[in-house]
Structures are given as structure tokens and as C-alpha cells.
Amino acid sequence: MILIEEKTVMKKGLLIWGLILTAAVWLFAPPAGADLIPSSGPEGKSGYWRKRVGISEFPFLKIGQGARAEAMGGAFTSVADDVNATFWNPAGLAHIEHVAYTANYTRWLAGSKLFSGALAFNTGFGVIGFSAVSAAAQEFEVTTPTAPWGTGEKAQVGDIAIGFLFAKKMTDKFMMGGQVRWMQENLYLEKVSNIDYSVGTYFYTGFKSARVGMGFRNLGPDVKVTEGGLSSTMPTIFSVGGAMEVLGKKGGPAYVTLSAEHSFITDYAPVNRFGAEFWIQNTLALRAGYRTNVELENWSGGLGLKYKIKGSAFTLDVSYHNETQGFFASPIRFSVGGSF
């Protein structure tokens, strides 16, 4: 009887995945006239028109949150087994047994900074979570047609997003989750607001520790920055990936997790992500990642520390991304968190 139920669950899971993949292919397939878009620039490199750069609003939503996930190259959709799932695959929050939290800092490009945090707790019926992301660009001097060298007035632009999440274990192998989020972008003279949605699934295949994850992030209506102006799309991301322990068992004295995923992005070319995490005595973690088809970052690395005391766990993580062009300081992330 149990075997029949497990087979039924697996069939349902595969059916859901098939439907999502079909929708993704339909949604992200280039239109018939896509070949008319210039595919190379003056130096023969892939052109930004081909990658659809600049067609979306709220670009800060594409910046990965959490040092653990980013140290693994962002290949986290199928790893998402802690509160960091908030920013990658909401279904992963179903792993939380009691209460978990995290706070993140990102030193981003061109002097900009991001802060984010999440809180999640298991209600017994499911896991409820809350998230917040704040981004601020470096302060700059205001210029006008009559004062092109600056007016002496300083300006600050930034973004904020606040979300509510819910995740639930449908079976011992299949999880689902979603997020609703309000966001606002401060463009100095104007403010733009919108609502977006994210959904995700997480499925243990039954083959050793292999699991697969899918996530649709930043789904929402188009945005008009100014009254009567052109509309911009949301920076929707669809990711599908897999992960598995290739050495040892999760939670054991020493184990290695490998992950890989493919991401479709509405305003950029598809990106492949690869990550690795090596835990020693479930206390020290060494991480590395690599991503393809990116302009400024490819490899990343990081460290993680976990300390447990009286049933509570505290974590500290750091990650580093190289900046390949030498234009900006390399991104660095710090995260603190825990569970109890």
C-alpha cells in the first residue's frame, strides 16, 4: 500500500514538473522574429540587444541574497534547505522544523549596498515566512541642463521589497511554496510600486539523496515608470536544478553536496550555475561556485561556520565574487542567522 502511494506521489510530482517545464518553454522561447535582433556587437561579441538587457524594472530583484547561496554560484534552487530558501525557492522553507532567521549584507557594484532578512516558523500546518530586501545606490550629485557640473545637491535612490511566504510538505518527498511581495523603487523625483509573486517546488527523487527544485521568481504585471511612459517588464527568473551528496551523508562527519541549475531570465541570456559545499563535522563549510554567460562575475567562493548550543544553531557565512572586468570592487556578502 505504501509503495503504491509513493508511486502515485512520484507520478504527480513528475506531471507537475512536466507542466511547469512546458510553460517555461512556451514563455521563454524567442519569438519568430528574434533573429532580426543583432546578435553581435562591433567587436563580434554577443550584443546586449540579443540578451534583452534593460527591458525590466526593479533590477535589484536579480541580485542574489545570502552568502551561503551566492558562494555556491547561486545554484541553490535545489539545495534550499534552510531559511535562505526565502530568496531562491520558497518551497524549501518546508524544511524548517521550528523557527529560523537570517540577516544579510551585500557590498555590490559601483558603491551600492543591499540589506536583506528573513524570518520563518513552522505552524504545524505549514511554514510561514516574512522577507525584506533593501537596496541603495551610492549617493551622487544632482546635475541639470544649466548646471551640468553639479548643483551641489545630493541625491539618493534605492529600492525596498517586503514579502509574505508560505510553504508546505505535501508528502515526505514533495514540497510546494509561494511568496507575495510588495516593492517600491525610489527614483529621486518619482516612486514606482508593484506587486510580484514567486512559486517553487522541491522534490526528493528517491535515488540516494538526489533532489530537484524549480522556482518561478519575480512574476508580476508590467510597470510604467512615468505617466504615459513606456512599460517595463518584471525581471522574471525561472530556474530548474538538481543537487545530491556525492560524498558522505547529509549531517554526517563530512559530506560534499554538488548542485547545478539552469536559469531563464526575461532580460538576459540563460545562465548555468554550478555549486559545491563541503561540510566538516557539521561545523565548518567550504563553498565554491561557477556561472556561465555572465558579464562581470563567474567564479565565487566562501566559508560558513555553524555553532550549536542547547538545541539552537547559530551561523556565520561569507562569500566573495570575482569582478572579471576590473571596473568595480568585487562583491562581498556577509550573513548571520540561526534556528531554534
Side-chain angles (χ1 to χ4, degrees), residues 39-88:
S39 60
S40 61
E43 298 180 1
K45 298 180 180 179
S46 296
Y48 289 110
W49 283 106
R50 167 66 70 181
K51 295 181 178 179
R52 306 178 300 280
V53 170
I55 68 170
S56 72
E57 191 63 27
F58 302 107
F60 79 103
L61 297 178
K62 297 185 296 180
I63 302 174
Q65 300 299 313
R68 180 192 177 197
E70 277 297 319
M72 299 178 69
F76 202 71
T77 301
S78 57
V79 175
D81 56 0
D82 61 12
V83 70
N84 290 291
T86 299
F87 307 107
W88 300 88

Coordinates of all heavy atoms in Angstrom, one line a residue, residues 39-88:
S39 N 22.9 40.0 -33.2 CA 23.5 39.0 -32.3 C 24.9 39.3 -31.9 O 25.5 38.6 -31.1 CB 23.4 37.6 -33.0 OG 24.1 37.7 -34.2
S40 N 25.5 40.3 -32.5 CA 26.9 40.6 -32.1 C 27.1 42.1 -32.2 O 26.4 42.8 -32.9 CB 27.8 39.9 -33.0 OG 27.6 40.3 -34.4
G41 N 28.0 42.6 -31.4 CA 28.4 44.0 -31.3 C 29.5 44.3 -32.3 O 29.9 43.5 -33.1
P42 N 30.0 45.5 -32.2 CA 31.1 46.0 -33.1 C 32.3 45.1 -33.0 O 33.1 45.0 -33.9 CB 31.4 47.4 -32.6 CG 30.9 47.5 -31.2 CD 29.7 46.6 -31.2
E43 N 32.5 44.4 -31.9 CA 33.7 43.6 -31.7 C 33.4 42.1 -31.9 O 34.2 41.3 -31.5 CB 34.4 43.8 -30.3 CG 34.8 45.3 -30.1 CD 35.4 45.5 -28.8 OE1 35.5 44.5 -28.0 OE2 35.8 46.6 -28.5
G44 N 32.2 41.8 -32.4 CA 31.9 40.4 -32.6 C 31.4 39.7 -31.4 O 31.1 38.5 -31.4
K45 N 31.2 40.4 -30.3 CA 30.8 39.7 -29.0 C 29.2 39.7 -29.0 O 28.6 40.5 -29.7 CB 31.3 40.5 -27.8 CG 32.8 40.4 -27.7 CD 33.3 41.1 -26.5 CE 34.8 41.1 -26.4 NZ 35.4 41.8 -25.2
S46 N 28.7 38.9 -28.2 CA 27.2 38.8 -28.0 C 26.7 40.2 -27.7 O 27.1 40.8 -26.7 CB 26.8 37.8 -27.0 OG 27.2 36.5 -27.4
G47 N 25.7 40.7 -28.4 CA 25.1 42.0 -28.2 C 24.1 42.0 -27.1 O 23.5 41.1 -26.8
Y48 N 24.0 43.2 -26.5 CA 23.0 43.4 -25.4 C 21.6 43.3 -25.9 O 20.7 43.0 -25.1 CB 23.3 44.7 -24.6 CG 24.6 44.7 -23.9 CD1 25.7 45.4 -24.2 CD2 24.7 43.9 -22.7 CE1 26.9 45.4 -23.5 CE2 25.8 43.8 -22.0 CZ 26.9 44.6 -22.4 OH 28.1 44.5 -21.6
W49 N 21.4 43.7 -27.2 CA 20.0 43.5 -27.7 C 19.6 42.1 -27.7 O 18.5 41.7 -27.4 CB 20.0 44.1 -29.1 CG 19.9 45.6 -29.2 CD1 20.9 46.4 -29.6 CD2 18.8 46.4 -28.8 NE1 20.5 47.7 -29.5 CE2 19.2 47.7 -29.0 CE3 17.5 46.1 -28.4 CZ2 18.4 48.8 -28.8 CZ3 16.7 47.2 -28.1 CH2 17.1 48.5 -28.3
R50 N 20.5 41.2 -28.0 CA 20.2 39.8 -28.0 C 19.9 39.3 -26.6 O 19.0 38.5 -26.4 CB 21.4 39.0 -28.5 CG 21.3 37.5 -28.3 CD 20.2 36.8 -29.1 NE 20.5 36.8 -30.5 CZ 19.6 36.3 -31.4 NH1 18.5 35.8 -31.0 NH2 20.0 36.4 -32.7
K51 N 20.5 39.9 -25.6 CA 20.3 39.5 -24.2 C 19.1 40.2 -23.6 O 18.8 40.0 -22.4 CB 21.5 39.7 -23.4 CG 22.7 38.8 -23.8 CD 23.9 39.0 -23.0 CE 25.0 38.0 -23.4 NZ 26.3 38.2 -22.6
R52 N 18.5 41.2 -24.3 CA 17.3 41.9 -23.9 C 17.6 42.7 -22.6 O 16.8 42.9 -21.8 CB 16.2 40.9 -23.6 CG 15.8 40.0 -24.7 CD 14.7 39.1 -24.4 NE 15.0 38.2 -23.3 CZ 15.8 37.1 -23.4 NH1 16.3 36.8 -24.6 NH2 16.0 36.3 -22.3
V53 N 18.9 43.2 -22.5 CA 19.3 44.0 -21.3 C 18.5 45.3 -21.3 O 18.4 46.0 -22.3 CB 20.8 44.2 -21.3 CG1 21.2 45.2 -20.2 CG2 21.5 42.9 -21.1
G54 N 18.0 45.7 -20.1 CA 17.4 47.0 -19.9 C 15.9 47.0 -20.1 O 15.4 48.1 -20.1
I55 N 15.3 45.9 -20.3 CA 13.8 45.9 -20.6 C 13.0 45.7 -19.3 O 11.8 45.8 -19.4 CB 13.4 44.8 -21.6 CG1 13.6 43.4 -21.0 CG2 14.2 45.0 -22.9 CD1 13.0 42.3 -21.9
S56 N 13.6 45.5 -18.2 CA 12.9 45.2 -17.0 C 13.1 46.3 -15.9 O 14.1 47.0 -15.9 CB 13.3 43.9 -16.4 OG 14.6 43.9 -15.8
E57 N 12.1 46.4 -15.0 CA 12.1 47.3 -13.9 C 12.6 46.5 -12.6 O 12.6 45.3 -12.7 CB 10.8 47.9 -13.7 CG 10.7 49.0 -12.7 CD 11.5 50.2 -13.2 OE1 11.7 50.4 -14.4 OE2 12.0 51.0 -12.3
F58 N 12.9 47.2 -11.6 CA 13.3 46.6 -10.3 C 14.5 45.6 -10.5 O 14.4 44.4 -10.1 CB 12.2 45.9 -9.6 CG 11.0 46.7 -9.3 CD1 9.8 46.6 -10.1 CD2 11.0 47.7 -8.3 CE1 8.7 47.5 -9.9 CE2 9.9 48.5 -8.1 CZ 8.8 48.4 -8.8
P59 N 15.6 46.0 -11.1 CA 16.7 45.1 -11.4 C 17.3 44.5 -10.1 O 18.0 43.5 -10.2 CB 17.7 45.9 -12.2 CG 17.3 47.3 -11.9 CD 15.9 47.3 -11.7
F60 N 17.1 45.2 -9.0 CA 17.8 44.7 -7.7 C 17.2 43.4 -7.3 O 17.9 42.6 -6.6 CB 17.5 45.7 -6.6 CG 16.2 45.7 -6.0 CD1 16.0 45.1 -4.7 CD2 15.1 46.2 -6.6 CE1 14.7 45.1 -4.1 CE2 13.8 46.2 -6.0 CZ 13.6 45.6 -4.8
L61 N 16.1 43.0 -7.9 CA 15.5 41.7 -7.5 C 16.3 40.5 -8.1 O 16.2 39.4 -7.7 CB 14.1 41.6 -8.1 CG 13.0 42.6 -7.5 CD1 11.7 42.4 -8.1 CD2 13.0 42.4 -5.9
K62 N 17.2 40.8 -9.1 CA 18.0 39.8 -9.7 C 19.3 39.5 -8.9 O 20.0 38.6 -9.2 CB 18.4 40.1 -11.1 CG 17.2 40.2 -12.0 CD 17.6 40.5 -13.5 CE 18.3 41.8 -13.6 NZ 18.7 42.1 -15.0
I63 N 19.6 40.4 -7.9 CA 20.8 40.3 -7.1 C 20.6 39.2 -6.1 O 19.7 39.3 -5.2 CB 21.2 41.6 -6.5 CG1 21.4 42.6 -7.6 CG2 22.5 41.4 -5.7 CD1 21.7 44.0 -7.1
G64 N 21.4 38.2 -6.1 CA 21.3 37.1 -5.1 C 21.5 37.5 -3.7 O 22.4 38.2 -3.4
Q65 N 20.7 36.9 -2.8 CA 20.8 37.3 -1.4 C 21.3 36.0 -0.6 O 20.9 34.9 -0.9 CB 19.4 37.7 -0.8 CG 18.8 38.9 -1.5 CD 19.7 40.1 -1.4 OE1 20.2 40.4 -0.3 NE2 19.9 40.8 -2.4
G66 N 22.1 36.3 0.4 CA 22.6 35.2 1.2 C 24.0 34.8 0.8 O 24.2 34.4 -0.3
A67 N 25.0 34.8 1.8 CA 26.3 34.4 1.4 C 26.5 33.0 1.1 O 27.3 32.6 0.3 CB 27.3 34.8 2.6
R68 N 25.7 32.1 1.8 CA 25.8 30.7 1.5 C 25.4 30.3 0.1 O 26.2 29.7 -0.6 CB 24.9 29.9 2.5 CG 25.0 28.4 2.2 CD 23.9 27.6 3.0 NE 24.0 26.2 2.7 CZ 23.0 25.3 2.9 NH1 21.8 25.7 3.4 NH2 23.1 24.0 2.6
A69 N 24.3 30.8 -0.4 CA 23.8 30.5 -1.7 C 24.7 31.1 -2.8 O 25.0 30.5 -3.8 CB 22.4 31.1 -1.9
E70 N 25.2 32.4 -2.6 CA 26.0 33.0 -3.6 C 27.4 32.4 -3.6 O 28.0 32.4 -4.7 CB 26.0 34.5 -3.3 CG 24.9 35.3 -3.9 CD 24.8 35.2 -5.4 OE1 25.8 35.2 -6.1 OE2 23.6 35.0 -5.9
A71 N 27.9 31.9 -2.5 CA 29.2 31.3 -2.5 C 29.2 30.0 -3.4 O 30.2 29.6 -4.0 CB 29.6 30.9 -1.1
M72 N 28.0 29.4 -3.6 CA 27.8 28.3 -4.4 C 27.3 28.7 -5.8 O 26.8 27.9 -6.6 CB 26.7 27.3 -3.8 CG 27.1 26.8 -2.4 SD 25.8 25.7 -1.7 CE 25.9 24.3 -2.8
G73 N 27.7 29.9 -6.2 CA 27.4 30.4 -7.6 C 25.9 30.6 -7.8 O 25.5 30.7 -9.0
G74 N 25.1 30.6 -6.8 CA 23.6 30.8 -6.9 C 22.9 29.5 -7.4 O 21.7 29.6 -7.7
A75 N 23.6 28.4 -7.4 CA 23.0 27.1 -7.7 C 22.3 26.6 -6.5 O 22.8 25.6 -5.9 CB 24.0 26.1 -8.3
F76 N 21.3 27.2 -6.0 CA 20.7 27.0 -4.7 C 19.2 26.5 -4.8 O 18.7 26.2 -3.7 CB 20.8 28.2 -3.9 CG 20.8 28.0 -2.4 CD1 21.8 27.4 -1.7 CD2 19.6 28.4 -1.6 CE1 21.7 27.1 -0.4 CE2 19.6 28.1 -0.3 CZ 20.6 27.5 0.4
T77 N 18.6 26.6 -5.9 CA 17.2 26.3 -6.0 C 16.9 24.9 -5.5 O 15.9 24.6 -4.9 CB 16.7 26.4 -7.5 OG1 16.9 27.7 -7.9 CG2 15.2 26.1 -7.6
S78 N 17.8 23.9 -5.8 CA 17.6 22.5 -5.4 C 18.3 22.2 -4.1 O 18.2 21.1 -3.6 CB 18.0 21.6 -6.5 OG 19.4 21.8 -6.8
V79 N 19.1 23.2 -3.5 CA 19.7 23.0 -2.2 C 18.8 23.5 -1.1 O 18.7 22.9 0.0 CB 21.1 23.6 -2.2 CG1 21.7 23.5 -0.8 CG2 22.0 23.0 -3.3
A80 N 18.2 24.6 -1.4 CA 17.4 25.4 -0.4 C 16.8 24.6 0.7 O 15.6 24.2 0.7 CB 16.2 26.1 -1.2
D81 N 17.5 24.3 1.8 CA 17.1 23.5 2.9 C 17.1 24.3 4.2 O 17.0 23.7 5.3 CB 18.0 22.3 3.0 CG 19.5 22.6 3.1 OD1 19.8 23.8 3.1 OD2 20.3 21.7 3.2
D82 N 17.2 25.6 4.1 CA 17.2 26.4 5.3 C 16.4 27.7 5.0 O 15.8 27.9 4.0 CB 18.6 26.7 5.9 CG 19.5 27.4 4.9 OD1 18.9 28.0 3.8 OD2 20.7 27.5 5.1
V83 N 16.5 28.7 5.9 CA 15.8 29.9 5.7 C 16.2 30.7 4.5 O 15.5 31.6 4.0 CB 15.9 30.8 7.0 CG1 17.3 31.4 7.2 CG2 14.9 31.9 7.0
N84 N 17.4 30.5 4.0 CA 17.9 31.1 2.7 C 17.0 30.8 1.5 O 17.0 31.5 0.5 CB 19.3 30.8 2.4 CG 20.3 31.4 3.4 OD1 20.5 32.6 3.5 ND2 20.9 30.5 4.3
A85 N 16.2 29.7 1.7 CA 15.3 29.3 0.6 C 14.3 30.5 0.3 O 13.7 30.6 -0.8 CB 14.5 28.1 1.0
T86 N 14.1 31.4 1.3 CA 13.2 32.5 1.1 C 13.5 33.3 -0.2 O 12.6 33.7 -0.9 CB 13.4 33.5 2.3 OG1 13.0 32.8 3.5 CG2 12.6 34.7 2.1
F87 N 14.8 33.4 -0.6 CA 15.2 34.2 -1.7 C 15.4 33.4 -3.0 O 15.8 34.0 -4.0 CB 16.5 35.0 -1.3 CG 16.4 35.8 -0.1 CD1 17.0 35.3 1.1 CD2 15.6 36.9 0.0 CE1 16.9 36.0 2.3 CE2 15.5 37.6 1.2 CZ 16.2 37.2 2.3
W88 N 15.3 32.1 -2.9 CA 15.6 31.3 -4.1 C 14.5 30.3 -4.5 O 14.2 30.2 -5.6 CB 16.9 30.5 -3.8 CG 18.1 31.3 -3.5 CD1 18.5 31.8 -2.3 CD2 19.0 31.9 -4.4 NE1 19.6 32.7 -2.4 CE2 19.9 32.7 -3.7 CE3 19.1 31.8 -5.8 CZ2 20.9 33.4 -4.3 CZ3 20.2 32.5 -6.4 CH2 21.1 33.3 -5.7

